[in-house]
Amino acid sequence: MSPTSLLLFLCVSFYGTAAIAPGVQAEEGCTTQRCGNLTVSAPLGLIVEGSEENKCGLQMGFQVRCTDDVPYLGYYEREYRLRILGIFYGNFSLLVSDPINTASKLGQPFSIISPLNQNLIFYNCTKAPPPEEDRAGLVDTVCRNNTFVRAGERYYNDGVGGYELEGCNSTAVPVLGKSGRVNASDYLELIRNGFLLTWQPPPQQQQPGPQPTD
Ligand SMILES: *[C@@H]1O[C@H](CO)[C@@H](O)[C@H](O)[C@H]1NC(C)=O
Ligand SMILES: *[C@@H]1O[C@H](CO)[C@@H](O)[C@H](O)[C@H]1NC(C)=O
Ligand SMILES: *[C@@H]1O[C@H](CO)[C@@H](O)[C@H](O)[C@H]1NC(C)=O
Ligand SMILES: *[C@@H]1O[C@H](CO)[C@@H](O)[C@H](O)[C@H]1NC(C)=O
Ligand SMILES: *[C@@H]1O[C@H](CO)[C@@H](O)[C@H](O)[C@H]1NC(C)=O
Ligand SMILES: *[C@@H]1O[C@H](CO)[C@@H](O)[C@H](O)[C@H]1NC(C)=O
C-alpha cells in the first residue's frame, strides 16, 4: 500500500501545510543548532533550506530540515517526511512521527528494530471479516466501514507476519509501546506519539554525545 493511500486510509492529518522557515540560520560548519526546541548536533546536522549542500557529518543521511521550527529527518524525499520529536544522543536514537507511514522506506543509517517499538496493523477489507477468532483485537477505525486496526507484536519490518486477514489489505505501522501490548483503540494517539529509530554509532565515536535535551 502506498504511503498516500495509508494517509487516506487513516483519515488523519497531523500537520498543516508548511512553508519554508525564514528563521533558519544559514550557519556553516558543525555547530550545534536549534530547530524549535530541539538541539541538533553531530552526527545530525541541520540543512539550510534551499540548499542540498551540508557540512557536518551528513554523508550518512543524518540531515535534519527545519520547517517552521519543526524538525524533520531530511533523509527522504520531501513528501515523505519523518517529524523528529526527540533526539537521544546518549543512546543513538530518535523519536519520530510518521503520518504517512514511510517507515518501510527507511534504510541505513537508521533502524526501527528496537524492542520498544510495536506493530499496529491496519486492514482495509472488502467486507467485515468472519466473527471468529480472526476478529480478536480488531478495532474499527474512524475512516470508513470495514477498516480495522489491531495491535501486533514487536515491530520487525513492514510485514504483518501472521496477522493477515482474508479479503483485506493490511499494512504495519510502528508505534512506541512502553510496556506490554499497546491498545489499538488508541491508534491515533499512538501514531502521533511516534516510534523509535536507532542509528549505528560510527566506530570512531566511542563517547556519547551531548545529553538528551528533552
Ligand atoms: C534512549 O533514551 C531515551 C531517554 O532516556 C529513551 O526515551 C529512549 O527510549 C531510549 N532509546 C532506546 C532505543 O532505548
Ligand atoms: C480500501 O478498499 C476499498 C475497496 O474495498 C477501496 O476502494 C479503497 O481504495 C481502499 N483503500 C485503500 C487505502 O487501500
Ligand atoms: C457503513 O455501514 C453503515 C451500517 O452498516 C451503513 O449504514 C453506511 O451506509 C455505511 N457507510 C458506507 C460509506 O459504506
Ligand atoms: C488488496 O486486497 C485485494 C483483496 O482484498 C487484493 O486483490 C489486492 O491485490 C490487494 N492490493 C494490494 C495493493 O495489496
Ligand atoms: C482499550 O481501550 C478501550 C477504550 O479506551 C477500552 O475500552 C478497552 O478496554 C481497552 N482494551 C484493553 C485490552 O485494555
Ligand atoms: C517542543 O515543542 C513542541 C511543540 O512545539 C511541544 O509539543 C513539546 O512538548 C516541546 N518539547 C519540549 C521538551 O519542550
Side-chain angles (χ1 to χ4, degrees), residues 97 120 174-177 182-195:
S97 175
L120 277 183
V175 294
L176 196 56
V182 297
N183 185 337
S185 302
D186 305 328
Y187 71 94
L188 286 173
E189 190 190 354
L190 286 165
I191 289 178
R192 208 174 284 129
N193 289 345
F195 60 92

Side-chain angles (χ1 to χ4, degrees), residues 42 138 202:
L138 284 190

Side-chain angles (χ1 to χ4, degrees), residues 84-163:
I84 302 175
L85 304 175
I87 305 175
F88 309 109
Y89 297 97
N91 60 12
F92 313 106
S93 61
L94 290 168
L95 183 64
V96 297
S97 175
D98 182 11
I100 53 171
N101 198 29
T102 53
S104 59
K105 295 183 181 300
L106 276 165
Q108 290 298 331
F110 297 105
S111 162
I112 45 183
I113 313 301
S114 158
L116 298 173
N117 290 327
Q118 294 185 25
N119 250 340
L120 277 183
I121 300 159
F122 287 89
Y123 299 97
N124 184 22
C125 307
T126 48
K127 57 178 172 53
E132 291 112 42
E133 72 270 13
D134 259 8
R135 289 210 59 145
L138 284 190
V139 172
D140 289 291
T141 75
V142 296
C143 194
R144 50 173 288 274
N145 287 349
N146 296 325
T147 59
F148 307 94
V149 57
R150 73 173 154 197
E153 287 159 10
R154 273 186 55 183
Y155 189 91
Y156 282 105
N157 53 50
D158 65 330
V160 298
Y163 284 91

Side-chain angles (χ1 to χ4, degrees), residues 33-40 46 64-67 69-71:
Q33 291 177 293
R34 292 190 72 80
C35 178
N37 53 14
L38 271 193
T39 300
V40 179
L46 214 54
V64 174
R65 290 175 192 271
C66 195
T67 302
D69 280 342
V70 177

Side-chain angles (χ1 to χ4, degrees), residues 61-78:
F62 290 108
Q63 299 95 335
V64 174
R65 290 175 192 271
C66 195
T67 302
D68 288 343
D69 280 342
V70 177
Y72 296 92
L73 198 58
Y75 188 51
Y76 305 98
E77 301 156 62
R78 290 195 59 118

Side-chain angles (χ1 to χ4, degrees), residues 37 83 213-214:
N37 53 14
R83 179 177 184 164
T213 54
D214 51 357

